Amino acid sequence: MEHPENSKEYAGLQVNEGVVQPSNINPYLKRSRFRRRELSVGEMVEGIVKGDVTILSQAVTLVESVIPEHQKKAQEVIEKCLPYSGNSVRIGISGVPGAGKSTSIDEFGIHVLDRFGGKLAVLAIDPSSERSKGSILGDKTRMEKLSVRKESFIRPSPSAGSLGGVARKTRETIILCEAAGYDKIFVETVGVGQSETACHSMVDFFLLIQLAGTGDELQGIKRGIMEIADGIVINKCDGNNVDKCHIAATNFRNALHFFPAPESGWLPKVLCYSGFYGTGIKEVWDMIYEYLDFVKDNGYFEYRRNEQNKYWMYETINESLRNNFYNNAHIQESLQTFEERVLRGEKTSFAAASDLLKMYYNEQQFSQDTQL
């Protein structure tokens, strides 16, 4: 930069040239040196089976991706991992926001690792923002004890608009964790309400965490998440809250008698404990393993897993059809036009949807006829 002050016309004035600021990036850095090599399907499966946590994390990220190329590779990985899966105990842990799910899982995890050994995977589902579509993924920060144990694997995942308290690919993630040798799987749902029950369709035991003073007897006997719980626990049973928790437990026990008998033949129990102080944890897990022994003896354990496999087959079909519809090039071109016509009042939303579906079906039929 030239400074006019340095001209001969201005005697006695001089402005020194500034120092050129160096780049923040090291000029000797070779980016290719640090570029992660993409693993093949065989390498990824081999790493998962060996229990490599880094490769397992990469595989979960691949499964959660919405890119079609990633999805195709992810399905190959899951298919090859399937023979190594199915040997774990899957526990679903749900409850209203603030019930203490993450803090309880920290205590639950330490208890089962110290008492039963093995390896534990925690799949924590965090709600995604309806505005920014982002997630905090901060559940792991409440699991201070469990996060430092080498036998544990904690994976926060965004719900990404999926309903039911779980993420879109939680079911597939369970298979990958089982193939990696994790014999205990915890699925922590988002803070759920009465009708969000998808987690029940992928676990062996569904634990519902409740709080005292959150409703009356009528609230307790409403259908929904209450009637599918295999066990109900009242958290924060400490200090001045002990009597309230025991009263709430009595109300829940009375409410359970109004529900139809579960297919398993098991009568859900209601217990009190404190996740913060770690009291009553042993009794909760004695109940869970008592249930597992009960359903394995009467054959319901295998029956339920078979029903879950059938359920997720239909769910996968529904998701594939939905994705195929929205990824169709002709539909993508027409969606904006139909949306504008609906907003102008020229077409009802039902008629627009019907026309788009007819367009999609006709194109599929034409493509099929062309192939024949």
Side-chain angles (χ1 to χ4, degrees):
M1 178 179 179
E2 296 184 2
H3 295 277
E5 295 87 349
N6 292 336
S7 175
K8 295 179 180 180
E9 300 176 4
Y10 305 101
L13 293 177
Q14 184 177 2
V15 178
N16 295 327
E17 293 291 336
V19 178
V20 178
Q21 292 295 324
S23 173
N24 292 329
I25 302 176
N26 185 352
Y28 303 104
L29 177 67
K30 295 182 179 179
R31 289 183 174 273
S32 59
R33 177 182 173 187
F34 299 95
R35 186 173 297 169
R36 181 181 295 171
R37 183 176 67 87
E38 185 176 350
L39 299 176
S40 66
V41 172
E43 291 173 328
M44 192 166 283
V45 173
E46 182 181 0
I48 293 172
V49 174
K50 288 182 178 179
D52 190 316
V53 177
T54 303
I55 295 180
L56 174 61
S57 300
Q58 294 177 20
V60 174
T61 302
L62 185 71
V63 166
E64 292 177 346
S65 173
V66 295
I67 300 175
E69 293 79 10
H70 291 176
Q71 281 296 299
K72 183 179 179 180
K73 184 178 179 180
Q75 290 305 316
E76 294 180 19
V77 173
I78 293 170
E79 187 176 352
K80 292 184 181 297
C81 287
L82 203 57
Y84 303 97
S85 65
N87 299 317
S88 74
V89 174
R90 307 166 185 170
I91 309 296
I93 300 174
S94 187
V96 296
K101 297 186 292 296
S102 299
T103 304
S104 299
I105 286 175
D106 196 29
E107 294 293 336
F108 291 161
I110 295 297
H111 176 79
V112 296
L113 288 177
D114 290 342
R115 183 178 177 185
F116 302 102
K119 297 170 66 178
L120 168 67
V122 179
L123 308 180
I125 315 303
D126 202 49
S128 298
S129 170
E130 290 295 327
R131 297 181 179 179
S132 66
K133 308 302 179 185
S135 297
I136 297 177
L137 303 179
D139 289 326
K140 190 175 181 179
T141 60
R142 298 193 185 99
M143 305 178 192
E144 298 177 355
K145 301 176 184 176
L146 202 57
S147 60
V148 298
R149 295 289 290 261
K150 63 180 181 180
E151 315 98 301
S152 67
F153 171 72
I154 304 174
R155 173 71 186 208
S157 297
S159 62
S162 177
L163 300 179
V166 293
R168 186 175 54 89
K169 294 296 182 180
T170 303
R171 169 69 177 175
E172 286 88 338
T173 305
I174 291 176
I175 295 174
L176 297 179
C177 290
E178 290 177 340
Y182 292 92
D183 57 347
K184 302 171 188 65
I185 311 288
F186 288 177
V187 180
E188 179 197 359
T189 72
V190 301
V192 299
Q194 290 176 317
S195 61
E196 295 162 309
T197 56
C199 180
H200 180 261
S201 62
M202 62 179 69
V203 296
D204 303 317
F205 186 94
F206 189 68
L207 183 68
L208 179 61
I209 299 178
Q210 294 279 36
L211 296 173
T214 56
D216 53 15
E217 291 81 358
L218 179 60
Q219 194 70 31
I221 63 175
K222 286 183 178 179
R223 298 301 191 263
I225 198 169
M226 277 281 297
E227 63 181 343
I228 65 171
D230 300 306
I232 300 174
V233 288
I234 315 295
N235 191 16
K236 304 183 182 181
C237 184
D238 48 57
N240 298 327
N241 206 35
V242 174
D243 292 338
K244 294 180 181 178
C245 288
H246 287 293
I247 293 174
T250 301
N251 291 334
F252 280 120
R253 290 190 190 99
N254 294 335
L256 289 173
H257 291 289
F258 290 94
F259 296 147
E263 289 183 291
S264 62
W266 167 267
L267 180 62
K269 296 183 178 181
V270 183
L271 301 177
C272 296
Y273 79 106
S274 172
F276 185 79
Y277 292 101
T279 57
I281 303 296
K282 179 181 180 300
E283 289 74 14
V284 173
W285 283 94
D286 287 344
M287 170 188 68
I288 292 175
Y289 277 93
E290 182 185 349
Y291 167 85
L292 293 174
D293 292 337
F294 180 82
V295 294
K296 286 180 180 179
D297 288 341
N298 65 12
Y300 181 75
F301 185 87
E302 290 297 328
Y303 168 78
R304 181 167 175 176
R305 285 213 169 177
N306 290 333
E307 288 296 307
Q308 289 175 350
N309 291 335
K310 183 174 70 174
Y311 170 83
W312 285 104
M313 180 189 74
Y314 287 109
E315 284 296 307
T316 304
I317 292 173
N318 294 336
E319 182 182 357
S320 297
L321 290 173
R322 177 187 175 92
N323 292 338
N324 188 268
F325 174 82
Y326 283 109
N327 290 329
N328 183 283
H330 196 192
I331 295 298
Q332 289 178 343
E333 294 174 0
S334 305
L335 270 175
Q336 186 66 30
T337 303
F338 277 85
E339 181 180 321
E340 292 174 355
R341 294 184 65 184
V342 170
L343 293 177
R344 290 196 299 264
E346 298 174 1
K347 232 179 193 347
T348 66
S349 55
F350 303 103
S354 178
D355 290 345
L356 285 168
L357 288 171
K358 288 178 182 178
M359 184 188 305
Y360 172 75
Y361 292 140
N362 291 335
E363 183 174 333
Q364 295 298 311
Q365 185 63 41
F366 176 78
S367 177
Q368 185 177 1
D369 294 340
T370 303
Q371 291 177 358
L372 294 177

